[in-house]
Amino acid sequence: IGYRNPNFSLGQYSVVEGYNNIATGSRSHAEGEGCQALTEYSHAEGNVTLSRGRASHSEGDGTKATSNYSHAEGHSTEASGDSSHAEGYDTEASGSYSHVEGQKTSAPSTGAHAEGYSTAANGFYSHAEGSSTTANGDSSHAEGKDTVTSGNYSHAEGIGAKATGDYSHAEGYN
């Protein structure tokens, strides 16, 4: 009884390595186990990773790079915005040009950046960092623990500080 490796390479100049991988995009590359590189110039590596966007790259365990030029790395991360980057554990960069890192972080808006634990950069070009911080205002920055910005161009730092008005600044312990 022979060994059968169900690798599948369909794309022009595509390469597959490992076990049960698929490379259908032109010049795509899938390696590891259960990886899929489905569009041109895409690269999927590790364990059950998916690269569906043009020139996207997924690596690690259960990562998905589903938009053009996106990059997902780590465990259960997803980069679904164009040119987005998700890294860490259970993170999601869904805004175009967004970046997330850490654990349970999200950046659903254009140019947003979330880092740390359970942070969310919801406003356009916003930045949330620390633990359980939320930057809702456009171009706002929330940092520390349990801080929130809801005003545009606002800044909250410390523990529990809230910057609610446009161009406002809140700091300290609340």
Side-chain angles (χ1 to χ4, degrees):
I1 297 176
Y3 172 79
R4 184 173 186 280
N5 186 343
N7 277 338
F8 183 73
S9 173
L10 180 63
Q12 184 180 28
Y13 309 115
S14 64
V15 175
V16 291
E17 305 172 67
Y19 182 75
N20 199 26
N21 298 302
I22 299 170
T24 58
S26 174
R27 295 164 181 83
S28 63
H29 182 191
E31 59 184 306
E33 183 172 353
C35 298
Q36 299 178 46
L38 303 180
T39 51
E40 61 184 352
Y41 313 112
S42 63
H43 183 190
E45 59 182 306
N47 182 50
V48 192
T49 62
L50 170 66
S51 291
R52 192 172 55 214
R54 184 178 198 267
S56 62
H57 182 197
S58 60
E59 57 184 308
D61 185 23
T63 61
K64 298 176 184 177
T66 58
S67 281
N68 296 334
Y69 320 108
S70 61
H71 181 200
E73 59 184 303
H75 182 72
S76 300
T77 63
E78 183 169 356
S80 58
D82 282 349
S83 302
S84 63
H85 181 195
E87 58 185 301
Y89 176 74
D90 195 21
T91 62
E92 184 174 5
S94 54
S96 296
Y97 321 111
S98 63
H99 178 199
V100 294
E101 53 190 303
Q103 183 177 0
K104 297 187 182 301
T105 58
S106 66
S109 295
T110 299
H113 178 198
E115 58 185 307
Y117 176 75
S118 192
T119 62
N122 297 324
F124 291 105
Y125 309 104
S126 63
H127 182 193
E129 60 183 310
S131 177
S132 301
T133 61
T134 306
N136 289 321
D138 293 346
S139 300
S140 67
H141 182 194
E143 59 182 311
K145 179 168 176 33
D146 298 319
T147 60
V148 177
T149 59
S150 53
N152 295 326
Y153 314 102
S154 61
H155 181 207
E157 60 184 311
I159 299 175
K162 293 177 177 42
T164 57
D166 289 350
Y167 313 102
S168 64
H169 179 95
E171 63 181 279
Y173 178 79
N174 184 9

